[in-house]
Amino acid sequence: DARVTQTPRHKVTEMGQEVTMRCQPILGHNTVFWYRQTMMQGLELLAYFRNRAPLDDSGMPKDRFSAEMPDATLATLKIQPSEPRDSAVYFCASGLVQGVSTDTQYFGPGTRLTVL
Amino acid sequence: QKEVEQNSGPLSVPEGAIASLNCTYSDRVSQSFFWYRQYSGKSPELIMSIYSNGDKEDGRFTAQLNKASQYVSLLIRDSQPSDSATYLCAFRTHGYQKVTFGTGTKLQVIP
C-alpha cells in the first residue's frame, strides 16, 4: 500500500531554533507539494517540485523557509529561525504528472509543529 | 475577496438525510475542481473531481459545477455518521499544478 511518509509527526521547538521536516513521496511520483494548514488560513501551498526541480515557491516566506529535493525519494522543508507564527500542520503531497497536470495529490500524515 | 469561499459550518444533518456543501470561487479561468474530505487530525483525501458544467455522480456523492455562476457544490445522499468530517473545496487552472483550497466546511451527521 503505497503512501507518502513524513517525519517527524510532531515537533515542539523554541523560537529561533532550526526545524527540518522530511517527506518521502510515493515511489514513481514526479511531483511533490508542501502545504501548511492552520485554522485561520486553511491549507496553503508553500512550494512544489516537478522532477525534483522547484516550480513555484511563491507561497513560502523566503527569508526563513527553504525547500529542497536532494533526490527523488526525499523532499525537505526547513525553517530557520522558527517563530511562534510558524506553528501549524505541514503536509507533503505527491502526484504523478502525465501530460500537463495531475488531478490526484496523495497527502502524507503531516508534521504538527509547535514553536514556543 | 478570498479565491475560494466556503461556509465554515458546522453543518449538521440527521443520518440518512442529504448534506449539501457549497463553494464559490473568484478565478474565472479555473478549469478543474475538487472536493477533499479531511477527518479530524488526518490528512485530506480526494473524493471527487469535476471539470465540466453539470453533475457528476460517484456512489452517494454528487458534485455540481456551474462555471457561469462560479459555483461548485457537493451533495452527499444517505448521510452516515462516518461522513462527519471537514470538506475542502479546491480548484486548479488548466496547465498549472497549483491547487487552491478553501478553508473547509465541517459536516456533522447526527445518528
Side-chain angles (χ1 to χ4, degrees):
Chain A
D1 183 23
R3 59 184 66 188
V4 177
T5 59
Q6 290 185 247
T7 57
R9 294 292 308 278
H10 302 272
K11 177 72 176 179
V12 180
T13 191
E14 293 188 347
M15 183 174 63
Q17 296 298 305
E18 178 179 299
V19 175
T20 299
M21 291 169 270
R22 294 177 174 80
C23 167
Q24 182 172 15
I26 293 174
L27 188 64
H29 282 187
N30 58 4
T31 310
V32 173
F33 307 82
W34 280 106
Y35 292 92
R36 175 172 62 185
Q37 187 173 41
T38 62
M39 289 292 292
M40 292 300 296
Q41 298 297 325
L43 199 60
E44 302 173 283
L45 179 68
L46 297 175
Y48 69 88
F49 296 77
R50 181 170 176 177
N51 296 325
R52 296 177 54 202
L55 290 191
D56 186 346
D57 60 1
S58 59
M60 204 163 64
K62 299 204 180 41
D63 57 336
R64 298 185 300 109
F65 285 59
S66 61
E68 295 179 344
M69 277 202 76
D71 61 62
T73 65
L74 177 64
T76 62
L77 179 66
K78 188 174 295 186
I79 308 174
Q80 168 62 24
S82 58
E83 298 181 0
R85 59 179 168 156
D86 300 329
S87 297
V89 180
Y90 291 81
F91 287 106
C92 173
S94 72
L96 178 62
V97 174
Q98 294 175 313
V100 177
S101 55
T102 179
D103 284 337
T104 304
Q105 296 183 25
Y106 297 86
F107 282 76
T111 294
R112 182 174 295 275
L113 174 65
T114 302
V115 183
L116 303 175
Chain B
Q1 180 186 5
K2 290 185 179 179
E3 292 181 276
V4 185
E5 297 271 6
Q6 291 185 260
N7 188 321
S8 61
L11 172 66
S12 295
V13 299
E15 183 175 354
I18 295 175
S20 178
L21 304 163
N22 304 312
C23 173
T24 58
Y25 60 95
S26 60
D27 183 359
R28 287 194 170 272
V29 298
S30 299
Q31 297 201 357
S32 302
F33 302 87
F34 310 96
W35 282 100
Y36 281 77
R37 178 177 61 199
Q38 186 174 22
Y39 292 112
S40 181
K42 302 296 184 181
S43 53
E45 58 177 328
L46 180 67
I47 56 172
M48 289 285 285
S49 54
I50 186 167
Y51 311 104
S52 53
N53 283 325
D55 295 359
K56 179 182 178 181
E57 187 174 318
D58 184 1
R60 296 185 296 110
F61 298 95
T62 298
Q64 300 175 317
L65 175 61
N66 184 325
K67 291 189 178 182
S69 300
Q70 296 175 248
Y71 177 94
V72 60
S73 64
L74 179 70
L75 301 179
I76 306 175
R77 290 182 300 281
D78 187 24
S79 296
Q80 302 297 309
S82 59
D83 295 326
S84 298
T86 296
Y87 290 80
L88 307 173
C89 169
F91 72 85
R92 189 188 68 228
T93 301
H94 181 68
Y96 292 90
Q97 286 300 116
K98 179 180 179 178
V99 174
T100 301
F101 287 83
T103 52
T105 297
K106 185 173 183 178
L107 173 66
Q108 294 177 339
V109 181
I110 311 300

